[in-house]
């Protein structure tokens, strides 16, 4: 004869909760796997925040490659500022179901950064469209009494059209107290400690430690005259006759080719990706002879000097990202 013993209430409860925990763990694992898939990194680099010490009179940080100043005069020396070593431009192909907010969150930039740099007239994205994601360098300004778009442009040596387009306002818009305005490519004078009777000031410029090997990059145009040294995003300006040939500074692949539109102030432009994480950007072009995805060789003609975008005369705006600009 076989006796069947029914489990005690305590044992039954333990078995039930053990089974419940196993089921719960299975669903949690699936959720974690889903989250990892959603947050997987893109092939292009995304800039990470870098925090800088506060000064005694003003808060200043580098955040997502944006220089932020909330209020007060900036009283620090340039050596106190830690600049990000990478400001790589990303390129993203829109996929079905993408929204502009999704893309902005993915690259940790504002929606207006994407709109401003891609001349978007609508927030609706078309699958297959290629977006340029600029890690916009700028100043975060909190509006005070009397501030206008034009006065901020004068204060930070920026462009009124850039400020208006980036912030989704007009050049004559009234600004509200406490409103936050981003000043693309704004500049701040840094007041150095008084060590002499003569007052000295200097501008903030990006610092690069990586140098390219000899011959890795060549001068992008023959002749011409350098009208502005290192400024903005590690760029130089070289004035030349309109139509003067512009050549690829090094071997690489064209990751962006833009003809027509303001394009964040660059006008007609080409961006080339080279080895070692280096990128070169050629702006204000009159003609563009290469397309996105095309492989180019050093010295190959890619366009001609022009006066498009934010430009006051025919010249080449030449940026080197990821390394020192040798020119």
């Amino acid at each position: 004869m076989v006796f069947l013993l029914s489990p005690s209430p305590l044992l039954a409860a333990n078995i039930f909760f053990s089974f419940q925990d196993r089921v719960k763990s299975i669903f949690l694992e699936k959720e974690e796997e889903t989250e990892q898939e959603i947050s997987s990194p893109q092939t292009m680099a995304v800039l990470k925040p870098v925090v800088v010490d506060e000064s005694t009179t003003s808060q200043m940080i580098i955040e997502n490659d944006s220089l932020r100043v909330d209020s007060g005069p900036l009283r620090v020396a340039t050596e106190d500022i830690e600049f990000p070593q990478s400001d790589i431009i990303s390129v993203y192909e829109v996929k079905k179901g993408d929204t502009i907010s999704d893309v902005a969150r993915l690259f940790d930039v504002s929606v207006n950064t994407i709109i401003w740099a891609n001349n978007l007239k609508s927030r609706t994205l078309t699958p297959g469209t290629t977006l340029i994601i600029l890690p916009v360098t700028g100043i975060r300004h909190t509006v005070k009494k009397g501030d206008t778009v034009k006065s901020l442009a004068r204060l930070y040596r920026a462009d009124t059209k850039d400020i208006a387009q980036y912030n989704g306002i007009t050049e004559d818009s009234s600004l509200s107290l406490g409103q936050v305005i981003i000043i693309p490519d704004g500049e701040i004078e840094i007041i150095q400690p008084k060590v002499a009777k003569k007052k000295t000031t200097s501008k903030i410029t990006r610092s690069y430690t990586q140098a390219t090997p000899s011959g890795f990059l060549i001068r992008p145009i023959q002749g011409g005259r350098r009208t502005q040294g290192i400024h903005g995003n590690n760029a130089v300006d070289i004035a030349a006759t309109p139509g003067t040939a512009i050549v690829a500074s090094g071997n690489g692949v064209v990751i962006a080719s833009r003809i027509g539109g303001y394009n964040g102030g660059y006008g007609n432009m080409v961006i080339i990706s080279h080895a070692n994480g280096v990128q070169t950007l050629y702006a204000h072009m009159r003609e563009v002879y290469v397309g996105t995805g095309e492989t180019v060789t050093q010295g190959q003609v890619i366009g001609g000097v022009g006066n498009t975008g934010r430009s006051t005369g025919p010249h080449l705006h030449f940026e080197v990202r990821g390394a020192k600009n040798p020119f």
Side-chain angles (χ1 to χ4, degrees), residues 162-183:
D162 285 355
I163 298 172
Q165 287 193 349
Y166 182 84
N167 292 280
I169 57 179
T170 67
E171 296 178 34
D172 298 319
S173 290
S174 296
L175 304 180
S176 305
L177 287 177
Q179 181 180 356
V180 174
I181 298 293
I182 302 297
I183 318 295

Side-chain angles (χ1 to χ4, degrees), residues 239-259:
T241 304
T244 298
I246 300 171
V247 302
S249 188
N251 299 327
V253 176
V254 177
I255 61 171
S257 175
R258 287 284 193 270
I259 302 175

Side-chain angles (χ1 to χ4, degrees), residues 85 207-213 216 275-278 320-325:
Q85 295 303 309
S207 175
Y208 290 88
T209 57
Q210 177 181 330
T212 56
F216 183 80
N276 303 320
V278 176
V320 178
R321 292 172 177 256
K324 292 180 179 179
N325 189 326

Side-chain angles (χ1 to χ4, degrees), residues 121-230:
K121 307 302 180 186
S122 168
R123 293 193 174 214
T124 302
L125 301 179
T126 304
T129 302
T130 299
L131 298 175
I132 294 175
I133 315 295
L134 294 176
V136 175
T137 301
I139 294 165
R140 181 182 185 274
H141 177 88
T142 302
V143 174
K144 299 183 289 295
K145 185 178 180 180
D147 284 344
T148 66
V149 173
K150 292 179 181 178
S151 70
L152 293 179
R154 288 194 299 270
L155 177 63
Y156 295 116
R157 300 179 185 178
D159 184 80
T160 54
K161 185 177 180 180
D162 285 355
I163 298 172
Q165 287 193 349
Y166 182 84
N167 292 280
I169 57 179
T170 67
E171 296 178 34
D172 298 319
S173 290
S174 296
L175 304 180
S176 305
L177 287 177
Q179 181 180 356
V180 174
I181 298 293
I182 302 297
I183 318 295
D185 289 328
E187 296 177 349
I188 301 175
E189 285 192 347
I190 299 177
I191 303 175
Q192 304 287 1
K194 292 182 178 180
V195 294
K197 292 182 180 180
K198 186 177 180 181
K199 182 180 178 181
T200 59
T201 62
S202 62
K203 297 178 186 177
I204 291 178
T205 56
R206 192 171 306 285
S207 175
Y208 290 88
T209 57
Q210 177 181 330
T212 56
S214 177
F216 183 80
L217 296 176
I218 63 172
R219 200 169 188 269
I221 65 174
Q222 293 295 319
R225 178 174 57 89
R226 195 178 79 165
T227 55
Q228 190 170 5
I230 299 297

